[in-house]
C-alpha cells in the first residue's frame, strides 16, 4: 500500500470521526455522547479515534473549529456582498444572529463549546474566526470616522457578547417574531455607535 493511499485512508477516517462526532454532539450534546457511540457511527475502532485525537474533548475541539469556521464563512460571505463598510458590519452581525439560531450550531458553538473547552480556549477560538472579522470591520469603521475613535478590542467583545447572549435567548424563544425584533434591536444598538 502506498503512502498516498494510507494518507487518504487516514484523512477519510478523521473526516468520518468529525462528521459523526458533529452529528452526535449537535443532536444530543457533548455530555450525552460516549466514545463507543462515536466510533460505532463512524465505522472505526477506538484505536483509530485515538490515532487522530487524544480523546473526546479533542474530537469536540475539531468539530467546534469546523462549526466556527463555517459560521465565519457564512457571515463573511453575507458581509462581503456589501460595498459599504457600515453595511458590511450590519449585514454580518445580522447574519450571525440568523445562522446561530440553528439549534445544532447553538449547542455546539455556544453551549457545549465554552463548557467543554473552558472560556479562555473557546474565546481564543472565536477570536480567530468570527471575532477576527468583527474586529477588522470595526477597525475600518473607526479609521474612516464612521465610528468614534476608541479601542477596537473592548468594542468587539461587547458586541460579540451581546450577540451570543441574544442567540442563546432566541434558542429558548417560542415567538417567531423574536429573531426579527432582535435584529432590529441590534441595528438600533449599532446605529448608536455611528458618528452623526
Amino acid at each position: 500500500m502506498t503512502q498516498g493511499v494510507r494518507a487518504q485512508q487516514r484523512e477519510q477516517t478523521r473526516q468520518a470521526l468529525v462528521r459523526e462526532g458533529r452529528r452526535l454532539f449537535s443532536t444530543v450534546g457533548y455530555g450525552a455522547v460516549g466514545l463507543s457511540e462515536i466510533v460505532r457511527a463512524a465505522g472505526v475502532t477506538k484505536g483509530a479515534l485515538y490515532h487522530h485525537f487524544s480523546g473526546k474533548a479533542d474530537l469536540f475541539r475539531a468539530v467546534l473549529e469546523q462549526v466556527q469556521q463555517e459560521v465565519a464563512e457564512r457571515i463573511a460571505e453575507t458581509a462581503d456582498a456589501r460595498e459599504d463598510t457600515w453595511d458590511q458590519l450590519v449585514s454580518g452581525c445580522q447574519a450571525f444572529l440568523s445562522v446561530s439560531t440553528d439549534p445544532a450550531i447553538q449547542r455546539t458553538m455556544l453551549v457545549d463549546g465554552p463548557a467543554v473547552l473552558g472560556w479562555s480556549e473557546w474565546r481564543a477560538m472565536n477570536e480567530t474566526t468570527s471575532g477576527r472579522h468583527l474586529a477588522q470591520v470595526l477597525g475600518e469603521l473607526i479609521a474612516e470616522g464612521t465610528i468614534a475613535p476608541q479601542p477596537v478590542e473592548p468594542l468587539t467583545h461587547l458586541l460579540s457578547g451581546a450577540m451570543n447572549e441574544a442567540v442563546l435567548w432566541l434558542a429558548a424563544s417560542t415567538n417567531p417574531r423574536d429573531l426579527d425584533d432582535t435584529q432590529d434591536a441590534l441595528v438600533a444598538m449599532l446605529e448608536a455607535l455611528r458618528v452623526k
Side-chain angles (χ1 to χ4, degrees), residues 60-132:
F60 179 82
R61 183 179 294 102
V63 168
L64 179 58
E65 286 172 353
Q66 184 182 73
V67 170
Q68 286 183 324
Q69 187 60 44
E70 288 173 10
V71 168
E73 287 170 5
R74 289 172 65 184
I75 292 167
E77 182 180 303
T78 301
D80 291 346
R82 304 299 190 118
E83 291 291 323
D84 181 73
T85 311
W86 180 259
D87 292 338
Q88 289 175 351
L89 171 67
V90 173
S91 63
C93 289
Q94 288 180 317
F96 174 79
L97 291 180
S98 295
V99 170
S100 299
T101 57
D102 177 336
I105 289 175
Q106 287 173 340
R107 175 172 286 193
T108 301
M109 191 169 76
L110 300 171
V111 176
D112 285 345
V116 173
L117 302 179
W119 281 105
S120 294
E121 185 174 354
W122 178 83
R123 209 175 355 247
M125 289 175 71
N126 185 56
E127 287 175 10
T128 63
T129 54
S130 301
R132 181 175 48 86

Side-chain angles (χ1 to χ4, degrees), residues 8-192:
Q8 184 178 10
Q9 288 175 333
R10 281 192 299 273
E11 183 56 27
Q12 288 172 344
T13 298
R14 186 182 189 287
Q15 288 176 7
L17 286 162
V18 171
R19 180 184 62 248
E20 292 305 319
R22 180 174 179 170
R23 181 182 64 78
L24 291 165
F25 294 145
S26 68
T27 54
V28 298
Y30 177 86
V33 177
L35 285 180
S36 297
E37 191 176 358
I38 295 168
V39 296
R40 186 172 43 255
V44 300
T45 65
K46 277 190 180 178
L49 182 138
Y50 285 116
H51 176 76
H52 293 280
F53 304 100
S54 62
K56 187 168 89 164
D58 195 30
L59 172 60
F60 179 82
R61 183 179 294 102
V63 168
L64 179 58
E65 286 172 353
Q66 184 182 73
V67 170
Q68 286 183 324
Q69 187 60 44
E70 288 173 10
V71 168
E73 287 170 5
R74 289 172 65 184
I75 292 167
E77 182 180 303
T78 301
D80 291 346
R82 304 299 190 118
E83 291 291 323
D84 181 73
T85 311
W86 180 259
D87 292 338
Q88 289 175 351
L89 171 67
V90 173
S91 63
C93 289
Q94 288 180 317
F96 174 79
L97 291 180
S98 295
V99 170
S100 299
T101 57
D102 177 336
I105 289 175
Q106 287 173 340
R107 175 172 286 193
T108 301
M109 191 169 76
L110 300 171
V111 176
D112 285 345
V116 173
L117 302 179
W119 281 105
S120 294
E121 185 174 354
W122 178 83
R123 209 175 355 247
M125 289 175 71
N126 185 56
E127 287 175 10
T128 63
T129 54
S130 301
R132 181 175 48 86
H133 294 296
L134 180 58
Q136 180 181 349
V137 74
L138 289 170
E140 290 172 16
L141 288 165
I142 290 168
E144 69 186 36
T146 304
I147 294 176
Q150 60 189 288
V152 172
E153 191 171 0
L155 182 57
T156 301
H157 284 281
L158 285 166
L159 289 175
S160 179
M163 288 186 287
N164 287 338
E165 178 60 30
V167 170
L168 290 172
W169 174 74
L170 286 167
S173 168
T174 57
N175 184 345
R177 271 283 314 144
D178 282 346
L179 176 58
D180 292 335
D181 290 344
T182 302
Q183 288 186 328
D184 291 345
L186 175 63
V187 171
M189 187 173 78
L190 293 173
E191 283 292 339

